[in-house]
Amino acid sequence: MKHVLHKLVFLLAVFLVVLQGCYEPGNEVAPVTPNATVAPIQSVIPSPEGTTLKELVIKDGSAGHNILDTALEQVEWKLTNGEDVRPSKADLLLHTEIGSQGIVALKIPKSGQTQYNVVALAKTDSKWTITSVLDIPVFNLQKNKQGLALPFDQFEIGKQKIADSDIWAFASDTKLVLIGLYPAKIFTTPEGAENIAVNNHNAWLTTTTEGVPAIYYIENEKLVGITGNLSEVELKKLAMSLPSANAASFPAVNP
Amino acid sequence: MRSFKVISTSVLALTMAFTGTIVSAADASPDIPVHFANGVKNDLSPQELKSLTKNLPPTATNVTIMESTSRVDKKVSSKIAPSGNACEPGYSYTDTTKTGSYVFKLAEAGSRYINRTGSNITFTSTIGTAKTISGEGSAKGEFDWKVIEAEVGFKISGSYTWTTSEGISVTVRPQYQGWIDYGTSNDYWSGYYTYVRSDCTEGSSFFLKVNGPRYKATVAHETRVY
Protein backbone atom coordinates (compact mmCIF):
# COMPACT_ATOMS: atom_id res chain seq x y z
CA MET A 1 0.00 0.00 0.00
CA LYS A 2 2.85 2.30 0.98
CA HIS A 3 4.58 1.65 -2.34
CA VAL A 4 1.40 2.50 -4.24
CA LEU A 5 1.16 5.83 -2.42
CA HIS A 6 4.80 6.65 -3.13
CA LYS A 7 4.25 5.83 -6.81
CA LEU A 8 1.23 8.13 -6.95
CA VAL A 9 3.12 11.01 -5.34
CA PHE A 10 6.06 10.47 -7.71
CA LEU A 11 3.76 10.44 -10.75
CA LEU A 12 2.08 13.62 -9.51
CA ALA A 13 5.46 15.31 -9.06
CA VAL A 14 6.54 14.27 -12.56
CA PHE A 15 3.25 15.50 -13.97
CA LEU A 16 3.68 18.89 -12.28
CA VAL A 17 7.25 19.26 -13.57
CA VAL A 18 6.14 18.45 -17.11
CA LEU A 19 3.23 20.87 -16.81
CA GLN A 20 5.55 23.64 -15.61
CA GLY A 21 7.82 22.99 -18.53
CA CYS A 22 4.92 23.49 -20.90
CA TYR A 23 4.22 26.95 -19.46
CA GLU A 24 7.76 28.27 -19.48
CA PRO A 25 7.95 31.47 -21.50
CA GLY A 26 9.88 31.29 -24.71
CA ASN A 27 8.73 27.81 -25.54
CA GLU A 28 6.79 29.12 -28.51
CA VAL A 29 8.78 29.99 -31.61
CA ALA A 30 7.86 33.37 -33.08
CA PRO A 31 7.43 33.36 -36.85
CA VAL A 32 10.22 35.30 -38.57
CA THR A 33 9.06 37.71 -41.22
CA PRO A 34 11.98 38.91 -43.32
CA ASN A 35 11.96 42.61 -44.29
CA ALA A 36 9.17 43.34 -41.78
CA THR A 37 8.95 47.07 -41.11
CA VAL A 38 8.38 48.31 -37.62
CA ALA A 39 5.84 51.14 -37.37
CA PRO A 40 7.27 54.23 -35.64
CA ILE A 41 6.06 54.67 -32.08
CA GLN A 42 4.03 57.84 -31.77
CA SER A 43 3.48 59.38 -28.39
CA VAL A 44 -0.18 60.23 -28.18
CA ILE A 45 -1.41 62.54 -25.47
CA PRO A 46 -4.69 60.99 -24.38
CA SER A 47 -7.66 63.26 -24.88
CA PRO A 48 -9.19 64.34 -21.56
CA GLU A 49 -12.69 64.07 -22.99
CA GLY A 50 -14.47 61.33 -21.13
CA THR A 51 -11.59 60.94 -18.67
CA THR A 52 -12.76 60.84 -15.08
CA LEU A 53 -11.40 59.95 -11.65
CA LYS A 54 -10.81 56.25 -11.21
CA GLU A 55 -8.96 56.28 -7.89
CA LEU A 56 -8.27 58.81 -5.17
CA VAL A 57 -5.30 57.84 -3.01
CA ILE A 58 -4.39 59.47 0.29
CA LYS A 59 -0.78 58.62 1.12
CA ASP A 60 1.21 59.05 4.28
CA GLY A 61 3.42 62.12 4.37
CA SER A 62 5.93 64.06 6.38
CA ALA A 63 4.93 67.66 5.59
CA GLY A 64 2.43 67.79 8.47
CA HIS A 65 3.37 71.23 9.80
CA ASN A 66 2.01 73.10 6.79
CA ILE A 67 -1.62 72.46 5.81
CA LEU A 68 -1.12 73.16 2.11
CA ASP A 69 2.04 71.07 1.80
CA THR A 70 0.27 68.22 3.61
CA ALA A 71 -2.59 68.18 1.12
CA LEU A 72 -0.33 68.54 -1.91
CA GLU A 73 1.97 65.78 -0.70
CA GLN A 74 -0.63 63.24 0.38
CA VAL A 75 -3.25 63.44 -2.37
CA GLU A 76 -2.82 61.43 -5.57
CA TRP A 77 -5.24 60.76 -8.40
CA LYS A 78 -5.44 57.97 -10.95
CA LEU A 79 -7.63 58.80 -13.95
CA THR A 80 -9.63 56.42 -16.11
CA ASN A 81 -7.10 56.87 -18.95
CA GLY A 82 -4.44 55.30 -16.74
CA GLU A 83 -2.64 58.56 -15.94
CA ASP A 84 -1.34 59.17 -12.40
CA VAL A 85 -1.69 62.82 -11.41
CA ARG A 86 -0.20 64.67 -8.44
CA PRO A 87 -1.71 67.99 -7.37
CA SER A 88 0.41 71.09 -7.81
CA LYS A 89 -0.03 74.62 -6.45
CA ALA A 90 -1.85 75.47 -9.69
CA ASP A 91 -4.62 73.03 -8.72
CA LEU A 92 -5.12 74.68 -5.34
CA LEU A 93 -8.34 76.66 -5.32
CA LEU A 94 -8.62 77.83 -1.74
CA HIS A 95 -7.98 76.79 1.84
CA THR A 96 -9.26 77.63 5.33
CA GLU A 97 -7.79 77.16 8.79
CA ILE A 98 -10.14 77.56 11.74
CA GLY A 99 -8.54 76.50 14.99
CA SER A 100 -7.52 72.88 14.51
CA GLN A 101 -9.82 72.35 11.53
CA GLY A 102 -8.72 73.07 8.00
CA ILE A 103 -9.94 72.64 4.44
CA VAL A 104 -7.94 72.53 1.23
CA ALA A 105 -9.94 72.57 -2.00
CA LEU A 106 -8.28 71.10 -5.10
CA LYS A 107 -9.42 70.91 -8.70
CA ILE A 108 -8.41 67.70 -10.47
CA PRO A 109 -6.36 68.58 -13.59
CA LYS A 110 -6.51 66.69 -16.90
CA SER A 111 -9.98 65.42 -16.12
CA GLY A 112 -12.63 65.47 -18.86
CA GLN A 113 -15.17 66.87 -16.44
CA THR A 114 -14.70 69.51 -13.76
CA GLN A 115 -14.06 67.75 -10.49
CA TYR A 116 -13.16 69.14 -7.08
CA ASN A 117 -11.75 67.34 -4.05
CA VAL A 118 -12.49 69.23 -0.85
CA VAL A 119 -9.98 67.83 1.64
CA ALA A 120 -10.65 68.28 5.37
CA LEU A 121 -7.74 68.17 7.80
CA ALA A 122 -7.34 68.21 11.57
CA LYS A 123 -4.35 69.48 13.52
CA THR A 124 -3.14 67.47 16.49
CA ASP A 125 0.15 68.35 18.25
CA SER A 126 1.01 70.85 15.48
CA LYS A 127 0.67 68.16 12.81
CA TRP A 128 -2.06 68.23 10.12
CA THR A 129 -3.66 64.94 9.06
CA ILE A 130 -6.30 64.34 6.42
CA THR A 131 -9.59 63.19 7.95
CA SER A 132 -12.06 63.30 5.04
CA VAL A 133 -12.49 64.15 1.37
CA LEU A 134 -15.60 65.45 -0.37
CA ASP A 135 -15.34 64.34 -4.01
CA ILE A 136 -17.47 66.54 -6.30
CA PRO A 137 -17.65 65.82 -10.02
CA VAL A 138 -19.59 68.69 -11.60
CA PHE A 139 -21.90 66.80 -13.90
CA ASN A 140 -25.53 66.78 -12.91
CA LEU A 141 -26.36 70.40 -12.38
CA GLN A 142 -29.05 71.86 -10.18
CA LYS A 143 -30.71 75.22 -10.71
CA ASN A 144 -32.66 75.77 -7.51
CA LYS A 145 -30.60 78.21 -5.42
CA GLN A 146 -33.15 77.96 -2.60
CA GLY A 147 -32.85 81.67 -1.83
CA LEU A 148 -29.03 81.84 -1.73
CA ALA A 149 -27.24 84.53 -3.71
CA LEU A 150 -24.94 82.04 -5.40
CA PRO A 151 -22.77 83.52 -8.18
CA PHE A 152 -23.80 80.92 -10.79
CA ASP A 153 -27.04 79.56 -12.23
CA GLN A 154 -26.17 75.88 -12.44
CA PHE A 155 -24.19 73.97 -9.87
CA GLU A 156 -23.48 70.72 -8.07
CA ILE A 157 -23.96 70.38 -4.29
CA GLY A 158 -21.92 68.30 -1.88
CA LYS A 159 -22.10 68.03 1.88
CA GLN A 160 -19.66 66.68 4.45
CA LYS A 161 -19.89 66.42 8.21
CA ILE A 162 -16.49 67.02 9.85
CA ALA A 163 -16.31 66.43 13.62
CA ASP A 164 -18.98 68.79 14.96
CA SER A 165 -18.99 71.02 11.88
CA ASP A 166 -20.93 70.88 8.61
CA ILE A 167 -19.55 71.93 5.25
CA TRP A 168 -21.62 72.57 2.13
CA ALA A 169 -19.90 72.90 -1.23
CA PHE A 170 -21.53 74.52 -4.26
CA ALA A 171 -19.58 73.97 -7.45
CA SER A 172 -19.79 75.12 -11.05
CA ASP A 173 -17.30 74.54 -13.83
CA THR A 174 -15.27 77.58 -12.80
CA LYS A 175 -16.26 78.48 -9.24
CA LEU A 176 -16.34 76.69 -5.91
CA VAL A 177 -18.12 78.09 -2.84
CA LEU A 178 -17.79 76.60 0.65
CA ILE A 179 -20.27 77.41 3.41
CA GLY A 180 -19.36 76.06 6.83
CA LEU A 181 -21.14 75.92 10.15
CA TYR A 182 -18.70 75.40 13.04
CA PRO A 183 -18.83 75.59 16.82
CA ALA A 184 -17.94 79.20 17.67
CA LYS A 185 -15.38 78.21 20.32
CA ILE A 186 -12.81 77.02 17.75
CA PHE A 187 -12.55 80.45 16.10
CA THR A 188 -9.84 83.04 16.54
CA THR A 189 -9.92 86.30 14.63
CA PRO A 190 -7.70 86.01 11.56
CA GLU A 191 -4.78 88.43 11.47
CA GLY A 192 -5.25 91.45 9.28
CA ALA A 193 -8.98 90.81 8.90
CA GLU A 194 -11.21 93.75 8.04
CA ASN A 195 -14.31 94.37 10.16
CA ILE A 196 -17.53 94.45 8.16
CA ALA A 197 -21.24 94.15 8.95
CA VAL A 198 -23.23 91.19 7.66
CA ASN A 199 -26.95 91.14 8.50
CA ASN A 200 -26.37 93.08 11.75
CA HIS A 201 -23.54 90.77 12.70
CA ASN A 202 -20.03 91.92 13.34
CA ALA A 203 -18.11 90.00 10.70
CA TRP A 204 -14.55 89.59 9.50
CA LEU A 205 -13.42 89.73 5.91
CA THR A 206 -10.08 88.21 5.09
CA THR A 207 -8.10 87.12 2.03
CA THR A 208 -6.29 83.78 1.82
CA THR A 209 -2.87 83.20 0.30
CA GLU A 210 -4.58 82.18 -2.94
CA GLY A 211 -6.12 85.66 -3.11
CA VAL A 212 -9.54 84.26 -2.25
CA PRO A 213 -11.93 86.15 0.10
CA ALA A 214 -13.42 84.62 3.24
CA ILE A 215 -16.08 85.98 5.60
CA TYR A 216 -16.68 84.84 9.20
CA TYR A 217 -19.25 85.82 11.80
CA ILE A 218 -20.63 84.38 14.99
CA GLU A 219 -24.33 83.86 15.60
CA ASN A 220 -25.82 82.01 18.58
CA GLU A 221 -22.60 80.19 19.51
CA LYS A 222 -22.12 79.07 15.94
CA LEU A 223 -19.45 80.25 13.56
CA VAL A 224 -20.50 80.83 9.99
CA GLY A 225 -17.59 80.77 7.53
CA ILE A 226 -17.91 81.23 3.78
CA THR A 227 -15.23 81.32 1.14
CA GLY A 228 -14.84 80.75 -2.57
CA ASN A 229 -12.90 81.77 -5.65
CA LEU A 230 -15.31 84.68 -6.19
CA SER A 231 -14.95 88.43 -5.97
CA GLU A 232 -15.36 90.18 -2.62
CA VAL A 233 -18.60 91.72 -3.88
CA GLU A 234 -20.02 88.30 -4.80
CA LEU A 235 -19.01 86.81 -1.45
CA LYS A 236 -20.55 89.69 0.53
CA LYS A 237 -23.78 89.31 -1.44
CA LEU A 238 -23.84 85.59 -0.62
CA ALA A 239 -23.19 86.27 3.08
CA MET A 240 -26.08 88.75 3.19
CA SER A 241 -28.47 86.14 1.74
CA LEU A 242 -27.73 83.46 4.37
CA PRO A 243 -30.50 82.50 6.82
CA SER A 244 -30.05 82.39 10.60
CA ALA A 245 -27.34 79.96 11.74
CA ASN A 246 -30.04 78.18 13.76
CA ALA A 247 -32.34 77.64 10.80
CA ALA A 248 -32.98 73.91 10.29
CA SER A 249 -32.67 74.47 6.54
CA PHE A 250 -29.26 76.22 6.79
CA PRO A 251 -27.76 77.25 4.45
CA ALA A 252 -30.94 77.18 2.34
CA VAL A 253 -33.31 80.10 2.77
CA ASN A 254 -36.27 78.60 0.90
CA PRO A 255 -35.83 74.81 0.98
CA MET B 1 -4.10 -3.87 8.57
CA ARG B 2 -2.05 -1.16 10.28
CA SER B 3 -1.03 0.50 7.00
CA PHE B 4 -4.67 0.46 5.89
CA LYS B 5 -5.61 2.27 9.11
CA VAL B 6 -2.88 4.88 8.56
CA ILE B 7 -3.96 5.55 4.98
CA SER B 8 -7.68 5.65 5.73
CA THR B 9 -7.11 8.02 8.64
CA SER B 10 -4.97 10.33 6.47
CA VAL B 11 -7.56 10.27 3.70
CA LEU B 12 -10.30 10.99 6.20
CA ALA B 13 -8.30 13.82 7.74
CA LEU B 14 -7.58 15.27 4.28
CA THR B 15 -11.25 14.99 3.31
CA MET B 16 -12.38 16.69 6.49
CA ALA B 17 -9.85 19.45 6.07
CA PHE B 18 -10.90 19.94 2.45
CA THR B 19 -14.65 19.95 3.09
CA GLY B 20 -14.05 21.98 6.23
CA THR B 21 -12.51 24.70 4.06
CA ILE B 22 -15.45 24.67 1.64
CA VAL B 23 -18.06 24.78 4.39
CA SER B 24 -16.39 27.61 6.27
CA ALA B 25 -15.99 29.67 3.06
CA ALA B 26 -19.71 29.41 2.34
CA ASP B 27 -20.80 30.36 5.84
CA ALA B 28 -17.94 32.78 6.54
CA SER B 29 -19.79 36.02 5.67
CA PRO B 30 -21.37 37.57 8.76
CA ASP B 31 -24.69 39.38 8.40
CA ILE B 32 -24.17 42.57 6.36
CA PRO B 33 -25.94 45.46 8.12
CA VAL B 34 -28.80 47.14 6.22
CA HIS B 35 -29.51 50.77 7.06
CA PHE B 36 -32.80 52.45 6.12
CA ALA B 37 -32.23 56.15 5.35
CA ASN B 38 -34.48 59.09 4.43
CA GLY B 39 -37.36 57.84 6.55
CA VAL B 40 -37.82 54.63 4.57
CA LYS B 41 -39.67 52.14 6.74
CA ASN B 42 -38.04 48.80 7.50
CA ASP B 43 -40.94 46.40 7.15
CA LEU B 44 -38.94 43.45 5.91
CA SER B 45 -39.04 40.00 7.44
CA PRO B 46 -35.71 38.50 8.57
CA GLN B 47 -35.88 36.28 5.47
CA GLU B 48 -36.37 39.25 3.16
CA LEU B 49 -33.48 41.08 4.83
CA LYS B 50 -31.30 38.06 4.21
CA SER B 51 -32.31 38.07 0.50
CA LEU B 52 -31.09 41.64 0.30
CA THR B 53 -27.59 40.74 1.39
CA LYS B 54 -27.02 37.08 0.60
CA ASN B 55 -25.94 37.52 -3.05
CA LEU B 56 -23.56 40.41 -2.41
CA PRO B 57 -19.85 39.80 -3.04
CA PRO B 58 -17.48 39.29 -0.09
CA THR B 59 -16.19 42.89 -0.42
CA ALA B 60 -19.60 44.33 0.64
CA THR B 61 -19.65 45.85 4.11
CA ASN B 62 -23.07 47.47 4.37
CA VAL B 63 -26.23 48.39 2.46
CA THR B 64 -28.16 51.67 2.64
CA ILE B 65 -31.77 51.82 1.45
CA MET B 66 -32.45 55.29 0.08
CA GLU B 67 -36.00 55.13 -1.32
CA SER B 68 -38.85 52.66 -1.53
CA THR B 69 -41.19 51.82 -4.41
CA SER B 70 -44.86 52.22 -3.71
CA ARG B 71 -46.97 49.15 -3.13
CA VAL B 72 -49.92 48.26 -5.33
CA ASP B 73 -53.07 46.46 -4.21
CA LYS B 74 -52.78 42.86 -5.32
CA LYS B 75 -55.59 41.54 -7.49
CA VAL B 76 -57.21 38.73 -5.51
CA SER B 77 -59.15 37.05 -8.27
CA SER B 78 -60.72 37.70 -11.66
CA LYS B 79 -63.79 35.80 -10.44
CA ILE B 80 -66.93 37.83 -9.92
CA ALA B 81 -68.49 37.00 -6.57
CA PRO B 82 -70.75 35.27 -5.64
CA SER B 83 -70.77 33.10 -8.77
CA GLY B 84 -67.51 31.22 -9.46
CA ASN B 85 -68.21 30.76 -13.16
CA ALA B 86 -68.09 34.37 -14.14
CA CYS B 87 -64.89 36.39 -14.47
CA GLU B 88 -63.96 39.92 -15.30
CA PRO B 89 -62.57 39.53 -18.80
CA GLY B 90 -59.10 40.90 -19.28
CA TYR B 91 -55.41 40.17 -18.95
CA SER B 92 -53.82 38.61 -15.90
CA TYR B 93 -50.30 37.60 -14.92
CA THR B 94 -50.84 33.94 -14.11
CA ASP B 95 -48.88 30.90 -12.92
CA THR B 96 -46.30 33.22 -11.49
CA THR B 97 -43.11 32.39 -9.65
CA LYS B 98 -40.98 34.87 -7.77
CA THR B 99 -37.51 33.97 -8.98
CA GLY B 100 -35.55 36.66 -7.16
CA SER B 101 -36.14 38.75 -4.07
CA TYR B 102 -34.38 42.04 -3.33
CA VAL B 103 -31.46 41.27 -5.64
CA PHE B 104 -29.00 44.14 -5.95
CA LYS B 105 -28.73 45.52 -9.50
CA LEU B 106 -25.81 47.83 -10.19
CA ALA B 107 -26.35 51.20 -11.88
CA GLU B 108 -22.88 52.66 -11.38
CA ALA B 109 -19.79 52.02 -9.29
CA GLY B 110 -18.24 55.04 -7.58
CA SER B 111 -14.54 55.97 -7.65
CA ARG B 112 -12.15 53.93 -5.53
CA TYR B 113 -10.87 55.60 -2.38
CA ILE B 114 -7.55 54.30 -1.16
CA ASN B 115 -6.25 55.05 2.31
CA ARG B 116 -2.52 54.56 2.76
CA THR B 117 -2.30 56.61 5.95
CA GLY B 118 -2.32 55.37 9.53
CA SER B 119 -5.84 56.50 10.45
CA ASN B 120 -9.40 56.26 9.15
CA ILE B 121 -10.50 58.64 6.38
CA THR B 122 -14.12 59.37 5.43
CA PHE B 123 -14.79 59.80 1.72
CA THR B 124 -18.03 61.11 0.33
CA SER B 125 -18.49 59.16 -2.87
CA THR B 126 -20.37 60.50 -5.84
CA ILE B 127 -20.69 59.09 -9.33
CA GLY B 128 -19.81 60.66 -12.63
CA THR B 129 -22.97 59.96 -14.57
CA ALA B 130 -26.66 59.66 -13.92
CA LYS B 131 -27.97 56.20 -14.65
CA THR B 132 -31.52 55.02 -14.47
CA ILE B 133 -32.65 51.55 -13.54
CA SER B 134 -36.23 50.77 -14.54
CA GLY B 135 -38.47 47.76 -14.54
CA GLU B 136 -37.76 45.34 -17.41
CA GLY B 137 -39.85 42.77 -19.22
CA SER B 138 -38.46 39.92 -21.30
CA ALA B 139 -41.19 39.39 -23.85
CA LYS B 140 -41.29 40.93 -27.31
CA GLY B 141 -45.08 41.19 -27.10
CA GLU B 142 -46.74 44.20 -25.65
CA PHE B 143 -48.12 44.04 -22.17
CA ASP B 144 -49.67 46.36 -19.64
CA TRP B 145 -47.44 46.94 -16.60
CA LYS B 146 -50.54 47.52 -14.45
CA VAL B 147 -51.55 43.89 -14.98
CA ILE B 148 -48.14 42.74 -13.74
CA GLU B 149 -48.21 45.13 -10.80
CA ALA B 150 -51.59 43.82 -9.68
CA GLU B 151 -49.98 40.40 -9.32
CA VAL B 152 -46.58 41.27 -7.87
CA GLY B 153 -47.96 43.89 -5.52
CA PHE B 154 -45.71 46.88 -6.17
CA LYS B 155 -44.95 49.43 -8.89
CA ILE B 156 -42.47 47.16 -10.65
CA SER B 157 -42.36 49.37 -13.73
CA GLY B 158 -40.95 52.24 -11.68
CA SER B 159 -37.51 53.65 -12.14
CA TYR B 160 -34.83 55.34 -10.10
CA THR B 161 -32.18 57.72 -11.33
CA TRP B 162 -28.89 58.26 -9.58
CA THR B 163 -27.50 61.73 -9.76
CA THR B 164 -24.12 62.90 -8.61
CA SER B 165 -25.44 65.12 -5.85
CA GLU B 166 -26.67 62.11 -3.90
CA GLY B 167 -23.32 61.49 -2.26
CA ILE B 168 -22.92 58.77 0.32
CA SER B 169 -20.03 58.56 2.78
CA VAL B 170 -17.74 55.60 3.32
CA THR B 171 -15.10 55.46 6.05
CA VAL B 172 -12.00 53.62 4.88
CA ARG B 173 -9.56 52.01 7.29
CA PRO B 174 -5.77 52.33 6.94
CA GLN B 175 -4.38 50.21 4.05
CA TYR B 176 -7.86 49.60 2.67
CA GLN B 177 -9.76 50.87 -0.33
CA GLY B 178 -13.45 51.62 -0.25
CA TRP B 179 -16.10 52.43 -2.79
CA ILE B 180 -19.87 52.68 -3.19
CA ASP B 181 -22.01 50.79 -5.67
CA TYR B 182 -25.17 52.67 -6.62
CA GLY B 183 -28.15 50.66 -7.78
CA THR B 184 -31.49 49.17 -6.85
CA SER B 185 -32.79 46.16 -4.99
CA ASN B 186 -34.95 44.23 -7.47
CA ASP B 187 -37.61 41.53 -7.45
CA TYR B 188 -37.67 39.02 -10.32
CA TRP B 189 -40.81 37.24 -11.49
CA SER B 190 -41.79 34.83 -14.24
CA GLY B 191 -45.24 33.87 -15.38
CA TYR B 192 -47.74 34.03 -18.22
CA TYR B 193 -49.48 37.08 -19.59
CA THR B 194 -52.88 35.51 -20.10
CA TYR B 195 -56.25 36.63 -21.41
CA VAL B 196 -59.00 35.48 -19.05
CA ARG B 197 -62.44 35.20 -20.66
CA SER B 198 -65.74 36.07 -19.00
CA ASP B 199 -66.39 32.34 -18.42
CA CYS B 200 -63.03 32.15 -16.59
CA THR B 201 -61.36 30.07 -19.28
CA GLU B 202 -57.94 31.20 -20.43
CA GLY B 203 -57.24 32.52 -23.88
CA SER B 204 -53.97 33.51 -25.49
CA SER B 205 -50.95 33.74 -23.29
CA PHE B 206 -47.20 34.18 -23.55
CA PHE B 207 -44.34 33.57 -21.17
CA LEU B 208 -43.11 36.76 -19.56
CA LYS B 209 -40.22 37.45 -17.19
CA VAL B 210 -40.12 40.77 -15.40
CA ASN B 211 -37.91 42.48 -12.86
CA GLY B 212 -38.08 45.86 -11.23
CA PRO B 213 -36.76 47.91 -8.33
CA ARG B 214 -38.15 47.64 -4.81
CA TYR B 215 -35.62 50.05 -3.41
CA LYS B 216 -33.00 52.53 -4.48
CA ALA B 217 -29.91 51.31 -2.65
CA THR B 218 -26.18 51.67 -2.18
CA VAL B 219 -23.70 49.00 -1.23
CA ALA B 220 -20.43 50.01 0.43
CA HIS B 221 -17.39 47.87 -0.29
CA GLU B 222 -13.97 47.51 1.22
CA THR B 223 -10.87 45.54 0.29
CA ARG B 224 -7.33 45.47 1.54
CA VAL B 225 -4.69 47.21 -0.59
CA TYR B 226 -1.12 46.00 -0.61
Side-chain angles (χ1 to χ4, degrees), chain B:
Chain B
M1 199 54 197
R2 192 197 270 178
S3 43
F4 173 77
K5 269 190 183 167
V6 169
I7 287 161
S8 62
T9 314
S10 332
V11 170
L12 195 62
L14 262 167
T15 314
M16 282 180 71
F18 189 62
T19 51
T21 313
I22 290 175
V23 165
S24 62
D27 286 354
S29 56
D31 282 342
I32 295 169
V34 178
H35 169 63
F36 287 78
N38 301 331
V40 176
K41 194 178 167 199
N42 175 9
D43 54 3
L44 298 180
S45 66
Q47 213 171 352
E48 286 171 317
L49 265 173
K50 205 152 177 99
S51 297
L52 242 170
T53 57
K54 74 168 193 223
N55 291 318
L56 295 175
T59 54
T61 57
N62 66 74
V63 177
T64 303
I65 304 297
M66 310 292 296
E67 261 180 73
S68 173
T69 315
S70 46
R71 293 197 193 259
V72 164
D73 284 333
K74 272 190 158 191
K75 186 176 177 184
V76 176
S77 168
S78 301
K79 291 189 164 51
I80 300 171
S83 165
N85 287 337
C87 279
E88 259 185 64
Y91 285 99
S92 264
Y93 195 37
T94 59
D95 297 310
T96 56
T97 312
K98 194 181 204 181
T99 54
S101 209
Y102 299 104
V103 180
F104 185 72
K105 192 167 184 178
L106 181 70
E108 185 95 20
S111 304
R112 298 273 167 132
Y113 299 122
I114 299 170
N115 180 5
R116 293 200 184 276
T117 73
S119 41
N120 288 0
I121 298 180
T122 301
F123 297 87
T124 298
S125 173
T126 60
I127 57 171
T129 56
K131 274 212 157 55
T132 302
I133 288 188
S134 318
E136 296 177 327
S138 66
K140 289 203 182 99
E142 276 186 28
F143 62 93
D144 184 353
W145 275 109
K146 283 197 168 57
V147 168
I148 311 301
E149 285 161 5
E151 171 61 24
V152 305
F154 73 100
K155 231 179 146 10
I156 198 169
S157 61
S159 71
Y160 287 113
T161 302
W162 278 105
T163 61
T164 53
S165 57
E166 291 168 41
I168 311 282
S169 294
V170 59
T171 298
V172 182
R173 296 181 275 169
Q175 311 314 320
Y176 274 79
Q177 71 170 334
W179 73 95
I180 306 282
D181 278 345
Y182 296 76
T184 54
S185 193
N186 284 26
D187 274 1
Y188 288 73
W189 288 79
S190 68
Y192 289 85
Y193 195 71
T194 309
Y195 188 79
V196 178
R197 300 192 193 92
S198 52
D199 62 356
C200 300
T201 55
E202 291 182 355
S204 68
S205 81
F206 58 85
F207 183 65
L208 175 65
K209 290 199 289 190
V210 293
N211 75 82
R214 296 302 302 263
Y215 296 123
K216 189 173 182 177
T218 64
V219 180
H221 294 266
E222 189 186 60
T223 54
R224 192 91 160 77
V225 286
Y226 296 96

Side-chain angles (χ1 to χ4, degrees), chain A residues 135-155:
Chain A
D135 177 22
I136 312 170
V138 178
F139 186 81
N140 255 316
L141 302 170
Q142 304 204 26
K143 291 181 188 172
N144 184 6
K145 296 187 194 181
Q146 298 182 79
L148 280 178
L150 292 165
F152 30 63
D153 291 323
Q154 290 189 311
F155 50 92

Side-chain angles (χ1 to χ4, degrees), chain A residues 172-191:
Chain A
S172 75
D173 273 330
T174 52
K175 293 179 181 178
L176 177 70
V177 171
L178 297 182
I179 298 178
L181 203 57
Y182 313 85
K185 60 184 183 201
I186 67 172
F187 181 67
T188 48
T189 315
E191 258 185 63

